[in-house]
Amino acid sequence: MAEKNMAGEKSGDKAGGSTAVMDAPAAASGQLLSVMPKRYVPWPEDSDKPRIWIGMGTCGTAAGAEALKTEILAWLKEHSLEAEVYPTGCVGMCHNEPLVDVQVKGRPRVSYKKVSSKNLAQILKEHLVDGAASKRAAFGQLVNPDEKQEPYEGIPNFHDEPFFKQQVKIVMQRCGVIDYWSIDDYLATGGYEGLKRAVTMPPDEIIDEVKKSGLRGRGGAGFPTGMKWRFARDAEGTPKYMVCNADEGDPGAFMDRAVLEGDPHSLLEGMIIGAFAVGAKYGYIYCRAEYPLAIKILTRALEQARERGFLGENILGTGFSYDIVIKEGAGAYVCGEEMALLNSIMGERGMPVIKPPFPATRGVWGKPTNINNVETFANIAEIVKNGGDWYAKWGSATTKGTKTFALTGKVKRPGLVEVPAGTTIRALVEEIGGGMTLKKVGFKAAQFGGPSGGCLPEQFMETGIDYESLNTGGAIMGSGGVVVMDEYNCMVDTARFFMEFTVDESCGKCTPCRDGTALMLQILERITHGEGQLEDIPKLEQISGFTKANSLCGLGQVAPNPVLTTLRYFKDEVVEHIVDKKCRAHSCDELIEYVVMEDKCTTCGLCKPPCPTDALEWEKKQVAFINHETCIRCKACVMACPFMAIK
Amino acid sequence: MSAKTESQNKVLDFTRAIEIAESEFGSKGPVIRVLQAIQAEYGFIPPEFLPEMADILEVPLARIFGALTFYSQFYTSPRGKYVVKVCVGTACHVQGSKDILERMKTELQVGAGETTEDMMFTLEPVACIGSCGLAPLCLINTETAASVTPAKMAEKVHAIREREATTVAEE
């Protein structure tokens, strides 16, 4: 199924993908397009100055973008050149950070990867002075079909690169493209057109379009968004609230951060349309405090939206009013659960409560409240603009549209990827992710859905990813984190790791979650320490079942998933830990016996001095030897060996 | 360390804290907001101020204490000049963040969440900073160190120690 969609996307690419194609008439005339055009920032009419974009999302900055900016400005000054320098969000290529894009008038924008102070001057000189693009450092060029641009020779097309080729960007369409401080860039790339259309529609019709699109909650549970909006619209009581859950707490997931930082107005537009549809007057964005840059960018975006009349009183002159306040979280994973989140907004401990009543009838301050996740909202404007059927063209039978995945772990090209639902795990890991980092160390599992997800082994490679297929496998979609693991990752330790996280983050209100997770952690720790017993396996299964069935909120109900998938697919490994006291991944410290590989040891002796217990025995011109009686498995020798001869 | 903490707290002037609390009196759900503002002002939340805060806001002390201890981003004691955050999220975990945390513990001679006696470093494991493509990563205050190894982080800590030692010597 995914392949069929992919083919549609490819032919769409060839068709040109100009912004004009997707504007309103297409949906209105009933002609459905399975084309999502690429976004380009149009060249400003009144300027000839070259433009430079620096990837300055959190990850770009982590990779050193701030220093690069200083250097770029200094270089420009030194060469008496003028250029516009913009910050932009994450385009998704974490593996190529820091990224710098350069464009001169009449030529395509060229994206440079892994820019450093070593090659920066060369790139700028070739591009801005010599009038050619630096082939060696270029990742690709973005040729805007709407403008007359003379492409550079020998530089690949950005969107044809393997990392991007299969991607369909709806949520991430502007991330890494536009200046994240600029509402004008947003407007120039089709922004707020969805809202303009929405305010001419009867609210019920908007909800019907969202229903038709098949959009389901991207926060993880996958509840149909249109239905949720219907409940909120039909609920009695005023004022109503439209709230965004931006408490992206799953370790290993960062797509919401990318949208918040890279395209904040797409979230606002989605929220405003939603508020109009359900009749909400106020809104909150609950954003985790770990995302300071996102909060800064959002704050500015809210001001801009108010200035331009998209937010606040009498929006677009329609008499409809809606305003949004940002609420900063204070660090609690459980606040991603909707009732906990609402309690936290109200200044209390973020604890879930028994449902019903659901937030749609009794939410924040006791009023009807609708909560959606960032990625869900970011889809709304395009759905309203192009129609629900347009969106439903993508995806699998049960999961429509696209899903953004944070692909990390042992793949060559980690990053954020947005693909139609139903894309196979193999396509994600091998074609987009470029395969495993280490050639000789094979794929072991893909972990979906964060701490409450599960690890799917090799046999699932051809499975199309959607809510149902992941559930069948024992994992969940969650927020879309995919951590790829290889043979060096121990599955028992992975289960233990997630359980440790859940124990930390369980709010403690209900016994099954609070005690069930703690008991499971105890058992898992015992096993990784080599003290496990075979009875532990049925015990784990029993506690898992109990915790799943009886926990109050989503956190506890899915917390046993990592344990259950480990037992289901990697039982051999668990048994090996218990019976043979062996960890095949060499990850569980207490089950490792380090040995020197004779064929690799050069007898250099570098491993001897770091050994704190003199367990490492070495004489000149002799292969080193490790005494297991005194070895404390501190790994000092492993780290010291330049030939990787100790394993 | 506790003696030092107490003596530091004693000299604290609560004028600003009182102003913050008073400005939020009567507002909807003020507890978290006031705690955040006090922490932004003082760097931590002095527990001895809480009874006064409860009086001003007319909120039971238990509710304030409940919220304070519930969230991981509230601190009740002063923190080091440099906060070393080691990300232990999933992506960092599979790339070996455990070794980094262990190395930092021995390097700084503190446990997770603790501050060194000279008030120079606080070691804090955090769950996911959201830059998983660059795992494993650490934060020293606001500066991010991407794709680090235990040795690289140890170097960074040494460099800070040396820099601090020289500035003290110069003074």
Side-chain angles (χ1 to χ4, degrees), chain A residues 581-635:
Chain A
K581 311 285 176 208
K582 247 182 79 179
C583 172
R584 62 172 86 166
H586 297 287
S587 159
C588 299
D589 285 342
E590 284 159 48
L591 302 180
I592 305 172
E593 283 198 346
Y594 288 106
V595 284
V596 181
M597 286 181 293
E598 292 188 17
D599 53 328
K600 282 196 181 165
C601 179
T602 62
T603 72
C604 71
L606 280 175
C607 51
K608 185 160 175 61
C611 180
T613 56
D614 278 331
L616 204 135
E617 295 164 15
W618 169 82
E619 301 278 333
K620 257 186 189 167
K621 292 187 187 165
Q622 298 272 317
V623 170
F625 172 77
I626 298 169
N627 183 346
H628 292 141
E629 301 274 297
T630 46
C631 173
I632 56 163
R633 305 171 185 97
C634 69
K635 272 194 196 172

Side-chain angles (χ1 to χ4, degrees), chain A residues 464-544:
Chain A
I465 310 164
D466 64 22
Y467 291 98
E468 279 64 31
S469 70
L470 290 179
N471 282 349
T472 316
I476 57 165
M477 179 76 87
S479 49
V482 184
V483 183
V484 178
M485 307 194 183
D486 65 12
E487 285 157 8
Y488 281 158
N489 293 118
C490 169
M491 301 318 288
V492 187
D493 181 62
T494 306
R496 184 205 56 79
F497 166 79
F498 285 123
M499 204 43 75
E500 193 176 66
F501 180 86
T502 318
V503 168
D504 256 4
E505 296 295 349
S506 169
C507 78
K509 183 169 181 170
C510 73
T511 318
C513 174
R514 182 188 62 229
D515 291 357
T517 55
L519 278 173
M520 283 188 279
L521 177 62
Q522 267 179 18
I523 297 175
L524 289 166
E525 277 181 342
R526 205 154 68 204
I527 298 175
T528 54
H529 289 168
E531 293 154 8
Q533 296 154 352
L534 278 175
E535 302 94 82
D536 285 341
I537 295 178
K539 246 185 231 164
L540 276 174
E541 281 166 348
Q542 190 196 358
I543 304 169
S544 292

Side-chain angles (χ1 to χ4, degrees), chain B:
Chain B
M1 197 189 80
S2 66
K4 193 180 276 175
T5 315
E6 274 166 29
S7 68
Q8 279 185 347
N9 291 357
K10 262 179 209 149
V11 295
L12 275 180
D13 173 9
F14 289 140
T15 323
R16 269 299 291 150
I18 293 169
E19 280 171 22
I20 291 167
E22 280 175 345
S23 71
E24 290 281 357
F25 172 72
S27 71
K28 266 183 170 178
V31 175
I32 292 178
R33 231 171 15 246
V34 171
L35 290 175
Q36 280 171 334
I38 290 175
Q39 183 157 293
E41 183 76 27
Y42 293 86
F44 71 107
I45 297 159
E48 55 280 30
F49 178 67
L50 298 183
E52 197 166 350
M53 176 176 162
D55 282 347
I56 296 172
L57 293 175
E58 291 176 16
V59 168
L61 177 59
R63 245 168 72 196
I64 297 180
F65 201 73
L68 173 71
T69 50
F70 186 82
Y71 296 99
S72 64
Q73 299 235 326
F74 291 138
Y75 310 102
T76 49
S77 59
R79 310 212 303 147
K81 187 171 175 187
Y82 298 92
V83 180
V84 180
K85 291 185 182 174
V86 180
C87 181
V88 293
T90 321
C92 289
H93 177 77
V94 302
Q95 304 277 22
S97 64
K98 197 168 70 178
D99 296 338
I100 299 174
L101 185 63
E102 287 309 313
R103 179 68 180 266
M104 285 291 102
K105 281 184 190 167
T106 46
E107 205 66 46
L108 299 172
Q109 292 289 315
V110 290
E114 293 177 4
T115 303
T116 54
E117 288 217 2
D118 58 0
M119 299 304 289
M120 201 53 85
F121 293 97
T122 300
L123 179 63
E124 196 181 282
V126 292
C128 205
I129 319 178
S131 307
C132 314
L134 303 164
L137 68 144
C138 295
L139 275 169
I140 300 182
N141 287 344
T142 52
E143 188 199 325
T144 322
S147 312
V148 288
T149 60
K152 261 198 213 169
M153 276 309 289
E155 260 172 50
K156 280 183 189 279
V157 168
H158 284 302
I160 293 174
R161 277 223 174 103
E162 267 173 36
R163 205 167 60 219
E164 287 292 333
T166 46
T167 43
V168 169
E170 276 165 18
E171 278 166 14

